[in-house]
Amino acid sequence: MITDSTITRRSFISGGAALAVTASSVVSAPRAAERRLRMALVGTGARGSFTWGQDVVEGYSDVVAIVGLCDINHKRVEAAKKLMGTTAPSFVDFDRMIKETHPDTVMVTTVDATHARYIVRALELGCDVMTEKPLCTDEEQCVSILDAQKKSGRKVTVTFNARHDPEAKRIKGLLMEKAIGDIISVDFHEYLDTSHGADYFRRWHRMKQNSGTLLVHKASHHFDLANWWLDSAPVEVTAFGDLKFYGRNNSFRSTHCRVCPFKQQCKFYWDVTQNQDYVKLYVDCESEDGYLRDGCVWREDINIYDTMSMVVKYENGVFLNYTANTYLPFEGQAISINGRTGRLDYNEFGGGGFENKGLRLTRSFGKSEVIQDLEARRTGGHGGADTSLHDLIFRGSQGSDPLGLRADLRAGARASLIGIAAYRSIEGGGKTIRIKDLVEV
Ligand SMILES: NC(=O)c1ccc[n+]([C@@H]2O[C@H](COP(=O)([O-])OP(=O)(O)OC[C@H]3O[C@@H](n4cnc5c(N)ncnc54)[C@H](O)[C@@H]3O)[C@@H](O)[C@H]2O)c1
């Protein structure tokens, strides 16, 4: 299922009209003949430039007009503009962009910990918002977004592309049909390898203050899937996490790969200059912010976890057992959903000559079958999931979403809050954290 490769609550949980926002205004964008959706974008790194830039310019220009681009790095925003092939004006001042370009919606693709400030400001300035996951990285940000949405009445959409994976959709459909009866528990294991997994430890993600750890940055995808599949809200979280492999766990280190004296002996040496898009977006822009895309995975400032293990209890009584390990010989996921009358298994992992892949339904006292009638995989990023997401939000009509693929503010908040509760639990030595103690609205 989907991975994040760069190329490849108190009362709000119980609902309330003001917070029950959907993607409706984005989705009901005026038809092309009348008016295109005016979208401004903040954060012109890889995700902004390609998925929400180039792909939108190439595939959706009949319905979407990118009206402005903003980033704190002025060289990067210019490089992104060229990569996207747009003539939209570029800005380093977000307020100025909004005031001069009058967008209907703002797409937020900045570093995770900065999402909240742009979401809140865009809402205050009267725009709808679409944001990359995670919605936010701490509980204060979550409250500020919920408050700003309530005051503004504008719409917030969280662009959870993992829901759009064909297997994820099929699992949702099977659970809606009660194919395994009521769900009792879920086992969700995330495997990240020495390439993609290691990449998180090279980049800004390696600092908790930027990403909220991988429990927020990465696992918010997985928690959103669980919340959506289970159709329930998380109540409490108990977690353990440690940095056992990267960071200080090596005898040598440097600042970044290009200048490293250990290039020959380090298995994690990675040459950013082999990718011309990365050279344009990062290497050529280093003079402005000092950001090193090829940071050393052994740096001692790494303060996120590479090994994570936790349990989430849901309102409907389900237990979610979740683990993530980030230094494995292969990538993938192993997900099992245990129901009263059967079990669903989704596996996608393998390497070194073995493979375990597929979606399987096994009925208690009955047969086990491989589920093959999956929706055709589209072309595009993340195994076509990005295209499915774009189609839904830019071309989908209201009422055409039987699986509930659209993710609203509440979905974004719940997914982030599980990750936030998890790192608070780890900070407290495995203390159980109640979600309602984190966010009270
Ligand atoms: N859904 C997915 O599959 C997926 C995949 C990749 C990334 N993402 C999300 O997209 C976002 C961007 O990730 P990326 O891989 O493009 O990272 P990136 O490092 O390539 O880009 C981040 C950009 O944000 C800019 N930025 C940082 N602080 C800023 C600030 N205060 N104001 C304005 N701009 C700021 C940086 O200059 C950079 O251009 C992240 O939130 C990430 O979680 C989602």
Side-chain angles (χ1 to χ4, degrees):
M1 207 174 287
I2 215 158
T3 59
D4 249 10
S5 164
T6 46
I7 289 286
T8 72
R9 255 162 249 217
R10 246 176 249 293
S11 60
F12 89 91
I13 282 171
S14 58
L19 292 171
V21 290
T22 67
S24 60
S25 76
V26 172
V27 170
S28 63
R31 288 197 311 274
E34 301 153 21
R35 200 169 82 85
R36 294 186 294 167
L37 177 75
R38 296 175 64 79
M39 183 177 90
L41 187 145
V42 61
T44 59
R47 191 75 177 156
S49 296
F50 300 112
T51 312
W52 296 102
Q54 210 175 65
D55 292 354
V56 173
V57 170
E58 285 171 9
Y60 300 87
S61 282
D62 56 325
V63 284
V64 186
I66 297 181
V67 296
L69 303 173
C70 178
D71 199 283
I72 42 166
N73 188 318
H74 79 93
K75 283 193 177 170
R76 189 172 297 123
V77 75
E78 295 308 330
K81 188 170 161 171
K82 282 197 196 118
L83 285 168
M84 288 182 200
T86 173
T87 54
S90 52
F91 300 84
V92 286
D93 181 331
F94 181 75
D95 277 29
R96 206 177 137 206
M97 171 171 80
I98 302 301
K99 284 171 187 158
E100 291 185 13
T101 66
H102 310 288
D104 302 313
T105 192
V106 173
M107 181 71 222
V108 180
T109 50
T110 55
V111 165
D112 300 350
T114 67
H115 290 181
R117 76 178 72 149
Y118 294 110
I119 296 170
V120 167
R121 192 64 188 137
L123 292 169
E124 285 170 357
L125 293 172
C127 304
D128 288 339
V129 174
M130 300 196 293
T131 181
E132 262 302 346
K133 43 57 55 176
L135 177 76
C136 55
T137 57
D138 67 33
E139 48 278 54
E140 287 79 21
Q141 292 178 358
C142 191
V143 170
S144 70
I145 295 169
L146 293 167
D147 285 350
Q149 189 282 324
K150 205 170 180 176
K151 273 189 209 128
S152 69
R154 307 302 309 186
K155 312 283 190 296
V156 178
T157 303
V158 183
T159 56
F160 281 122
N161 51 342
R163 291 188 183 195
H164 291 258
D165 197 88
E167 285 85 359
K169 291 183 196 177
R170 193 72 184 91
I171 291 171
K172 177 70 179 174
L174 286 164
L175 295 175
M176 287 169 79
E177 289 164 23
K178 295 261 179 209
I180 57 167
D182 291 337
I183 303 165
I184 296 174
S185 67
V186 179
D187 306 319
F188 195 133
H189 303 290
E190 173 75 6
Y191 310 133
L192 294 165
D193 67 11
T194 49
S195 167
H196 178 216
D199 211 29
Y200 292 106
F201 296 82
R202 292 194 176 99
R203 299 180 282 161
W204 51 261
H205 313 63
R206 74 181 193 281
M207 312 288 286
K208 189 178 197 171
Q209 52 274 37
N210 293 330
S211 63
T213 79
L214 295 179
L215 291 162
V216 175
H217 170 79
K218 180 74 190 161
S220 58
H221 269 313
H222 313 139
F223 301 145
D224 175 64
L225 282 176
N227 298 345
W228 176 57
W229 286 332
L230 295 174
D231 195 20
S232 186
V235 176
E236 61 180 49
V237 176
T238 311
F240 296 93
D242 205 347
L243 183 67
K244 296 186 180 202
F245 186 88
Y246 298 107
R248 58 183 175 265
N249 297 288
N250 197 42
S251 57
F252 59 80
R253 56 189 46 79
S254 179
T255 52
H256 57 299
C257 288
R258 272 165 293 157
V259 301
C260 184
F262 305 102
K263 275 180 197 173
Q264 299 304 325
Q265 70 196 85
C266 184
K267 289 207 162 24
F268 290 82
Y269 169 70
W270 177 71
D271 185 1
V272 63
T273 65
Q274 295 297 307
N275 181 324
Q276 281 314 301
D277 287 344
Y278 283 6
V279 170
K280 289 176 197 150
L281 274 182
Y282 304 111
V283 177
D284 292 349
C285 306
E286 279 171 7
S287 58
E288 304 311 294
D289 56 13
Y291 177 60
L292 300 167
R293 175 65 181 78
D294 59 342
C296 177
V297 301
W298 309 121
R299 273 162 74 150
E300 282 174 316
D301 62 359
I302 294 175
N303 63 0
I304 61 169
Y305 318 111
D306 54 24
T307 309
M308 292 147 274
S309 187
M310 56 189 273
V311 182
V312 184
K313 270 209 240 174
Y314 280 84
E315 258 172 25
N316 64 0
V318 170
F319 298 160
L320 165 68
N321 304 292
Y322 178 85
T323 66
N325 291 284
T326 57
Y327 37 76
L328 302 181
F330 51 74
E331 282 253 338
Q333 292 177 327
I335 303 169
S336 303
I337 306 178
N338 305 306
R340 204 159 283 284
T341 62
R343 163 168 162 133
L344 273 176
D345 284 285
Y346 174 68
N347 290 300
E348 188 181 10
F349 58 87
F354 97 103
E355 193 179 63
N356 189 349
K357 192 171 167 47
L359 177 59
R360 178 174 286 277
L361 168 63
T362 310
R363 297 184 199 271
S364 303
F365 314 104
K367 284 208 174 112
S368 186
E369 55 176 305
V370 175
I371 303 289
Q372 282 167 334
D373 58 338
L374 299 174
E375 185 185 285
R377 214 169 267 287
R378 299 177 207 205
T379 54
H382 292 106
D386 290 344
T387 310
S388 170
L389 169 72
H390 284 154
D391 285 348
L392 181 79
I393 64 174
F394 294 137
R395 297 197 193 281
S397 57
Q398 273 305 94
S400 63
D401 184 18
L403 296 178
L405 285 159
R406 293 190 174 98
D408 60 12
L409 174 57
R410 199 175 345 174
R414 283 176 173 162
S416 278
L417 283 169
I418 297 178
I420 295 164
Y423 75 66
R424 295 283 180 226
S425 173
I426 296 167
E427 287 166 355
K431 182 174 175 239
T432 296
I433 304 290
R434 290 189 307 174
I435 300 285
K436 66 178 185 178
D437 292 338
L438 293 180
V439 173
E440 190 159 16
V441 181

